Amino acid sequence: MKTIKEKNRPIATFLAFALIPLSGFATDIYIPSLPAMATQLHVSTAAVQLSLIVFLISSGISQLFVGSLLDSYGRYNPGRLALVAFILASFAIAVSHHILLVYVMRVIQGIAVAAIVVGKRAYFIDTYSGEKLKHYTSLFSIVWAAAPIIAPFLGGFLQDNFGWQANFYFLGFFTLAILMLELIYGGESLKYFQPFKAGTIFHIYRETFRTVDYTLGLIIISLAYAMLIVYGLTSPFVIEHVFQRSPVVTGFSSLFSGMALMSGGIISKLLIRKPLVGKLTIAILLQVLFAATMMLSGLYKANLWTFVAFTLAVHFLSGFIFNNAFAYCLGRFSKNAGIVSGITGGALFIVTSIISYGIVNVLEIRDQHMLGMAYLIFAGLAVIVLFLFSQARKTSEEMTEAGRYINSILVKK
């Protein structure tokens, strides 16, 4: 079994960071190309939007299980196979002339990305410890946020100059380069292989989803993330068809959206010591305000500038909400952090995909007014879920305190 040589560890760490935002690149890079794909593949808007949703769902379902598989069979060999699958699927999409083939290849990409990203996150836990591990893991969210900033901007440039196929050629060649470097400098990082026990894993899944405050927290982050997905699904058609701008403008708009998302996450870290429910309440109510204003202003005066300005405000708050609620969900279970991380990421993708694609097709979003309405629906639901979350969290804390009190009495006896 090939292991990583000590002299190659810095390069292996760099390659791990390079692959962590792959899921974001696989979704965001072709957002500016959605209108062109619909035209050239002779399909409806909803049909080409579905290609993004099937990727998210397949990746989400895979993340629910891939962590335990990688603990049993290692990171390196499954990672290499996943890279090869992703490369071949990317090139197949680039030469495809049928939407059904695109769907199949996007499912393969989703499964492959789940194995790649989860494996690379686990690499840091395998390799580092203490302060060094904290340093690297603190960079995860920043590195991941690079995808929604860079990918749509790059995708808009590729679309404008070479066509939608160039996005998938780029994904294929980029991942091929990483694979070549992995073969030279990479290796197995897992030191202790664990037997795969389906019964134990199922028990952890059941107990996790039966924890009410965790499940409600998961819905909150799904609603926050769904706003970004809805924007990605609809903004190219609004910007390029309604406002008559080029895919490059779509890329720039998504770039600023990604920067707003990252800024919200950074602010959430600065306010990490503030009470969770209090800061989530303020952020969600501000989202309601901005979404309602966006919807109403769309009836009277809407242009590219108002469209982007309101989107940035909503996405900034989404980044703030997401970071706080996501950290709470991951920290809810300390004994099974690895599996719960996969459950949280996987369930997030699945729930987000269902509600975002559902709202896009129900509302048929084609302008600022309808996008504002979608945001308002999500923010309004978040208000209700947050109230239930605060009650469930209070009950959980009371039960924990009661348990400690009973244990203290038993110890004294």
Side-chain angles (χ1 to χ4, degrees):
M1 180 178 63
K2 182 185 177 184
T3 57
I4 302 172
K5 296 179 181 179
E6 192 59 36
K7 66 176 183 179
N8 294 335
R9 199 166 301 284
I11 299 177
T13 300
F14 171 80
L15 294 175
F17 271 125
L19 287 172
I20 282 177
L22 185 60
S23 61
F25 264 97
T27 56
D28 294 348
I29 195 169
Y30 80 111
I31 282 176
S33 297
L34 291 178
M37 288 182 68
T39 300
Q40 293 186 25
L41 294 175
H42 307 290
V43 295
S44 66
T45 298
V48 76
Q49 289 170 335
L50 187 59
S51 67
L52 190 147
I53 298 302
V54 295
F55 171 86
L56 291 175
I57 291 177
S58 62
S59 182
I61 293 174
S62 301
Q63 285 186 57
L64 295 176
F65 308 102
V66 74
S68 52
L69 292 172
L70 293 177
D71 285 343
S72 300
Y73 301 104
R75 328 293 194 202
Y76 186 56
N77 288 329
R80 287 189 300 172
L81 291 174
L83 284 169
V84 171
F86 186 88
I87 292 164
L88 295 177
S90 298
F91 290 145
I93 294 173
V95 299
S96 174
H97 298 288
H98 202 288
I99 193 66
L100 291 180
L101 178 60
V102 174
Y103 291 158
V104 173
M105 293 301 104
R106 289 295 280 172
V107 169
I108 293 173
Q109 282 188 326
I111 297 170
V113 161
I116 293 166
V117 173
V118 172
K120 288 307 178 186
R121 285 176 181 161
Y123 160 83
F124 289 93
I125 300 173
D126 298 337
T127 307
Y128 300 104
S129 61
E131 291 301 316
K132 208 161 191 178
L133 177 60
K134 289 182 182 179
H135 167 69
Y136 282 126
T137 53
S138 68
L139 297 175
F140 281 2
S141 61
I142 297 173
V143 173
W144 179 81
I149 294 174
I150 299 171
F153 175 71
L154 176 61
F157 171 80
L158 293 173
Q159 168 62 42
D160 203 45
N161 289 276
F162 306 104
W164 68 266
Q165 295 89 345
N167 295 305
F168 293 97
Y169 278 123
F170 173 84
L171 289 174
F173 283 117
F174 169 78
T175 317
L176 179 60
I178 297 292
L179 175 61
M180 295 298 102
L181 293 172
E182 278 281 340
L183 295 174
I184 299 170
Y185 299 105
E188 183 57 63
S189 63
L190 182 62
K191 297 178 179 64
Y192 306 103
F193 290 75
Q194 301 177 9
F196 184 80
K197 296 181 179 180
T200 302
I201 294 169
F202 175 77
H203 175 74
I204 295 171
Y205 284 15
R206 185 183 62 186
E207 292 304 310
T208 300
F209 285 116
R210 286 175 62 181
T211 305
V212 179
D213 56 312
Y214 168 84
T215 304
L216 292 170
L218 184 62
I219 296 173
I220 290 173
I221 62 175
S222 297
L223 290 168
Y225 192 50
M227 294 185 184
L228 277 70
I229 299 300
V230 167
Y231 175 80
L233 290 171
T234 59
S235 62
F237 299 94
V238 177
I239 294 172
E240 296 170 33
H241 291 174
V242 178
F243 297 136
Q244 297 294 308
R245 303 301 179 97
S246 71
V248 174
V249 175
T250 300
F252 270 113
S253 301
S254 296
L255 183 149
F256 291 127
S257 167
M259 292 175 65
L261 175 69
M262 178 184 284
S263 299
I266 293 172
I267 297 299
S268 74
K269 287 188 175 182
L270 296 176
L271 300 176
I272 194 169
R273 297 186 183 279
K274 299 294 182 181
L276 177 64
V277 174
K279 57 189 177 184
L280 286 180
T281 300
I282 294 172
I284 292 173
L285 290 178
L286 284 174
Q287 270 196 329
V288 171
L289 175 63
F290 282 118
T293 308
M294 180 181 187
M295 182 185 70
L296 293 174
S297 67
L299 293 174
Y300 301 100
K301 184 178 182 180
N303 53 50
L304 179 63
W305 302 107
T306 59
F307 180 79
V308 172
F310 282 116
T311 297
L312 296 185
V314 171
H315 289 190
F316 170 84
L317 293 165
S318 287
F320 182 87
I321 295 164
F322 184 95
N323 262 32
N324 281 290
F326 193 75
Y328 177 84
C329 288
L330 289 183
R332 188 65 178 81
F333 304 93
S334 57
K335 292 183 179 179
N336 306 105
I339 295 178
V340 172
S341 176
I343 293 173
T344 305
L348 167 65
F349 273 24
I350 295 169
V351 175
T352 299
S353 301
I354 293 171
I355 60 178
S356 57
Y357 190 68
I359 201 75
V360 165
N361 283 276
V362 169
L363 295 182
E364 297 185 357
I365 300 169
R366 293 291 182 270
D367 54 31
Q368 177 181 310
H369 169 71
M370 296 306 295
L371 182 60
M373 183 179 293
Y375 286 160
L376 184 59
I377 291 171
F378 287 144
L381 290 173
V383 171
I384 299 171
V385 177
L386 179 62
F387 172 77
L388 298 174
F389 170 80
S390 64
Q391 298 301 309
R393 188 163 176 258
K394 187 183 299 182
T395 301
S396 176
E397 290 173 350
E398 290 173 352
M399 291 177 64
T400 301
E401 190 62 33
R404 288 174 182 168
Y405 176 71
I406 294 170
N407 286 334
S408 66
I409 293 175
L410 293 175
V411 168
K412 288 179 181 179
K413 288 184 177 181

